[in-house]
Amino acid sequence: MKVLVIGGCGFIGSHVVDSLLSRNHEVRVFDRQPERFRPALAGVDYLFGDFADRMAMIEALTGVDAVMHLVSTTFPGTADLDPRTDVIDNLGGTLSLLDIMTNLKIPKIVFLSSGGTVYGVPDTVPMPESHPLRPINSYGIVKCAIEHYLAMYQRTRGVASVSIRASNPYGPRQGHSGVQGVISTFLNRAFSGEKVEIWGDGSVIRDYLHVTDLADLCVLALSSDKTGPYNAGSGVGTSINEIVEVIGSVTGVPLEPVYKAARSVDVQRSVLDVSKAKVDLGWSCKVSLRDGISDSYEWLKNWKSRQG
Amino acid sequence: MKVLVIGGCGFIGSHVVDSLLSRNHEVRVFDRQPERFRPALAGVDYLFGDFADRMAMIEALTGVDAVMHLVSTTFPGTADLDPRTDVIDNLGGTLSLLDIMTNLKIPKIVFLSSGGTVYGVPDTVPMPESHPLRPINSYGIVKCAIEHYLAMYQRTRGVASVSIRASNPYGPRQGHSGVQGVISTFLNRAFSGEKVEIWGDGSVIRDYLHVTDLADLCVLALSSDKTGPYNAGSGVGTSINEIVEVIGSVTGVPLEPVYKAARSVDVQRSVLDVSKAKVDLGWSCKVSLRDGISDSYEWLKNWKSRQG
């Protein structure tokens, strides 16, 4: 199958590309810029452009059998700063994509949604896919609207879709600037001997998923005839304070957290029920938190040493 | 209170203006064009422009105490034809409005949402406001996203909001071109002695609300300190075939329905539970279906006779 990976040079995208190649799919990548942490891969067709550029998207989509849509111009922590731009870029851009896919009769899309934001404040933990969608921040509102439109395009325009509601992915090649993920950010601080900052008291519970497990689920979903939403998480809740401990233990560098005021975007406890992906897609999470953090730290040390 | 009514020259808007004036509010109207069915009202400050024009909106919002947001550039039956334009115009436009309100510190907005589309296919009938939001068409997806953003702006930016989830409003000054409402369309056909077309077998159940009852609820909500969603309906389900019967009886012109294939946008049964508006806002529906249809037909006959 020839697959277009939109956002294929990003953190998650680069692992999805690896997973597709390992299963002998043909891969075209569309992204704004080359991968940051490794050179271009042999055998991958790279196209660079803007997600909002309709003609560039038409060119990228021509001749492909399926689409992995992994692009977001915003992060959960940044989208609230300018919701209108979040809507125009990400929701508007996705609707352009779906219109082009309809015209070109491309029958399948896997969309990277957000298990951490589409549900809002949970009624039950862990949350199944049937939990009501009550997003409380712009990132989640846009993901939720995109999921609704995917269902509509599937019903009325013949574009089958799976939404992967990812929890908190982490792993090699994640950015560590502070907006992408707490594990990569903290590992970077540990490496540099800096203090870490924690919003709140560190009791906030999240569901951390190694990026290779997430990438495998995306590829399984693309090849399956199943449609609709699938949670993607470990199914296990871990507090920020536990992350701090594991990182201290793995790196041998005990972190010294500085506790700051809690953020309004954070719900207290978010853990996903992933039994639907296990049953329907035969997927399971293979990398333990400790192994995954160790693996991420090895990558970080290598990267830093190559940077000199 | 000085109130800006955005969409104040439309069908619902014109009745909201009447209701505001009857309660001695000061009214400014912003719309694309003057009212279609009556001359400009004395004492109302009219501004004409485009909802997407940010500078025009800033001018319109300056000096007002509260906003009635009744504008939609689409109808439930037309929005699916171009979802991206629906999103840019209505969701993007509303986010611009909310940003301007935040900057100008305007503390309250009442938004006209859609009880017929935000819930999707009902789990229970009648539906309370706590029913999950699972819209299946673009009109409902956009209304749902706007409601989520209203809650976010209320929590984070000090703009209090009420969303009025209206069922199927009807009454004097409703357009009768076939996209606005079945009652006005059918009355117009009855007046002209034309056949009426029904999508499906006429068993589809809707909740019809007279526009003056809806307008009163909007004004009660604006003056209240309550926030969040409120259903606005009669609480009673009526089939299309019953509407046809009542219209035949009121007009003395028996309609001859032509039954056509059902539309994918229609859910079979949509009736709203309106007890929350009754309890919280002291509102109740005053106009019976028969009286409301009679009143609408009187208006139509007068309008037609004035047209010659």
Side-chain angles (χ1 to χ4, degrees):
Chain A
M1 189 150 63
K2 183 160 184 176
V3 182
L4 177 68
V5 185
I6 306 173
C9 291
F11 161 52
I12 297 166
S14 73
H15 289 276
V16 168
V17 168
D18 289 349
S19 184
L20 285 166
L21 292 173
S22 76
R23 286 168 174 84
N24 299 314
H25 292 293
E26 216 179 320
V27 177
R28 178 181 291 163
V29 161
F30 184 89
D31 210 320
R32 281 188 293 195
Q33 52 202 6
E35 275 198 49
R36 182 172 159 200
F37 296 115
R38 62 178 188 183
L41 300 180
V44 173
D45 177 19
Y46 291 94
L47 290 176
F48 297 103
D50 193 319
F51 183 50
D53 178 342
R54 288 164 78 103
M55 292 314 295
M57 284 305 302
I58 290 171
E59 186 189 338
L61 285 158
T62 299
V64 308
D65 304 304
V67 172
M68 288 277 190
H69 174 8
L70 311 172
V71 88
S72 174
T73 64
T74 52
F75 293 102
T78 61
D80 282 13
L81 299 174
D82 188 355
R84 189 168 169 277
T85 301
D86 194 24
V87 162
I88 305 285
D89 286 0
N90 294 304
L91 181 51
T94 301
L95 289 170
S96 277
L97 169 64
L98 288 171
D99 286 336
I100 300 166
M101 288 182 67
T102 304
N103 290 340
L104 295 179
K105 301 192 195 315
I106 301 173
K108 182 76 181 260
I109 182 170
V110 170
F111 168 63
L112 186 68
S113 184
S114 164
T117 64
V118 293
Y119 299 112
V121 182
D123 291 334
T124 51
V125 175
M127 289 173 280
E129 289 84 353
S130 57
H131 186 286
L133 303 183
R134 294 180 308 230
I136 61 170
N137 60 25
S138 186
Y139 193 82
I141 294 169
V142 165
K143 294 285 190 189
C144 175
I146 290 174
E147 287 200 25
H148 287 142
Y149 276 117
L150 286 170
M152 175 182 139
Y153 274 75
Q154 175 169 303
R155 207 178 54 252
T156 63
R157 301 180 194 191
V159 179
S161 56
V162 175
S163 294
I164 301 291
R165 294 179 180 164
S167 62
N168 293 57
Y170 72 96
R173 303 199 291 274
Q174 186 165 31
H176 31 259
S177 65
V179 291
Q180 284 200 301
V182 70
I183 291 177
S184 63
T185 302
F186 284 8
L187 282 172
N188 190 55
R189 296 288 174 91
F191 182 85
S192 314
E194 295 170 22
K195 287 193 167 64
V196 302
E197 292 181 344
I198 293 177
W199 288 292
D201 64 2
S203 66
V204 164
I205 301 284
R206 290 290 178 274
D207 180 338
Y208 297 92
L209 178 67
H210 195 266
V211 66
T212 56
D213 283 326
L214 173 57
D216 286 347
L217 178 56
C218 291
V219 176
L220 284 172
L222 195 77
S223 311
S224 161
D225 57 2
K226 300 287 183 186
T227 59
Y230 283 91
N231 282 341
S234 67
V236 176
T238 305
S239 73
I240 304 275
N241 286 329
E242 287 172 273
I243 294 289
V244 165
E245 272 181 40
V246 176
I247 288 177
S249 153
V250 163
T251 62
V253 185
L255 291 173
E256 291 176 53
V258 178
Y259 294 93
K260 299 174 65 181
R263 296 187 300 183
S264 67
V265 294
D266 289 323
V267 300
Q268 179 59 27
R269 193 173 157 81
S270 176
V271 183
L272 302 178
D273 178 342
V274 293
S275 47
K276 191 173 167 223
K278 289 182 179 175
V279 171
D280 283 8
L281 303 171
W283 173 80
S284 64
C285 186
K286 294 193 173 57
V287 183
S288 73
L289 184 67
R290 198 186 166 86
D291 288 353
I293 286 180
S294 174
D295 163 59
S296 306
Y297 192 57
E298 287 309 308
W299 172 79
L300 182 69
K301 283 193 294 187
N302 278 326
W303 166 252
K304 292 280 186 181
S305 72
R306 273 179 285 138
Q307 298 305 100
Chain B
M1 190 151 61
K2 181 160 186 176
V3 183
L4 177 68
V5 185
I6 305 173
C9 291
F11 162 52
I12 298 166
S14 73
H15 290 275
V16 167
V17 168
D18 289 349
S19 184
L20 286 165
L21 292 173
S22 76
R23 286 169 174 82
N24 299 313
H25 292 293
E26 215 179 323
V27 177
R28 177 182 292 165
V29 161
F30 183 89
D31 211 320
R32 281 187 294 194
Q33 52 202 8
E35 275 199 50
R36 182 173 159 198
F37 297 113
R38 62 178 187 181
L41 301 180
V44 173
D45 176 19
Y46 291 94
L47 290 176
F48 297 104
D50 193 319
F51 183 51
D53 178 342
R54 289 165 75 104
M55 291 317 293
M57 285 305 302
I58 290 172
E59 186 190 338
L61 285 159
T62 299
V64 308
D65 305 305
V67 173
M68 288 275 190
H69 173 10
L70 311 173
V71 88
S72 174
T73 65
T74 52
F75 293 103
T78 60
D80 283 13
L81 300 174
D82 188 354
R84 189 168 169 278
T85 301
D86 193 26
V87 162
I88 305 286
D89 285 0
N90 294 303
L91 181 52
T94 301
L95 289 169
S96 277
L97 168 64
L98 288 171
D99 286 336
I100 299 166
M101 287 182 68
T102 304
N103 290 341
L104 295 179
K105 300 193 195 316
I106 301 173
K108 182 78 181 259
I109 181 170
V110 171
F111 168 63
L112 186 67
S113 184
S114 165
T117 65
V118 294
Y119 298 113
V121 181
D123 292 335
T124 50
V125 175
M127 289 172 281
E129 289 83 354
S130 57
H131 187 287
L133 303 184
R134 294 179 307 229
I136 62 170
N137 59 25
S138 187
Y139 193 83
I141 295 169
V142 165
K143 294 285 191 191
C144 175
I146 290 174
E147 286 200 23
H148 287 141
Y149 276 116
L150 285 170
M152 176 182 137
Y153 274 74
Q154 176 169 302
R155 206 179 52 252
T156 63
R157 301 179 195 193
V159 179
S161 55
V162 175
S163 294
I164 301 291
R165 294 179 180 163
S167 61
N168 293 57
Y170 72 96
R173 304 199 289 274
Q174 187 166 30
H176 31 259
S177 65
V179 293
Q180 282 200 302
V182 70
I183 291 177
S184 63
T185 302
F186 285 6
L187 283 172
N188 190 54
R189 295 288 174 92
F191 182 84
S192 314
E194 296 171 21
K195 287 192 167 64
V196 301
E197 292 180 344
I198 293 177
W199 289 292
D201 64 2
S203 65
V204 165
I205 301 283
R206 290 290 178 273
D207 180 339
Y208 297 91
L209 178 67
H210 195 267
V211 66
T212 55
D213 283 327
L214 173 57
D216 285 346
L217 179 56
C218 291
V219 176
L220 284 172
L222 195 79
S223 311
S224 162
D225 58 2
K226 301 287 182 185
T227 58
Y230 283 90
N231 283 339
S234 67
V236 176
T238 305
S239 72
I240 303 276
N241 287 329
E242 287 173 273
I243 294 290
V244 165
E245 272 180 41
V246 176
I247 287 178
S249 153
V250 162
T251 62
V253 185
L255 290 173
E256 292 177 52
V258 178
Y259 292 93
K260 299 175 65 182
R263 297 186 301 183
S264 68
V265 293
D266 289 323
V267 301
Q268 178 60 27
R269 193 174 158 81
S270 177
V271 183
L272 301 178
D273 177 342
V274 293
S275 47
K276 191 173 167 223
K278 290 182 179 174
V279 172
D280 283 8
L281 303 172
W283 174 80
S284 64
C285 186
K286 295 193 171 56
V287 184
S288 73
L289 184 66
R290 198 186 165 86
D291 287 352
I293 286 179
S294 175
D295 163 59
S296 305
Y297 193 55
E298 288 308 309
W299 172 81
L300 182 69
K301 284 192 293 187
N302 279 327
W303 166 251
K304 292 280 186 182
S305 73
R306 273 179 284 139
Q307 297 307 99

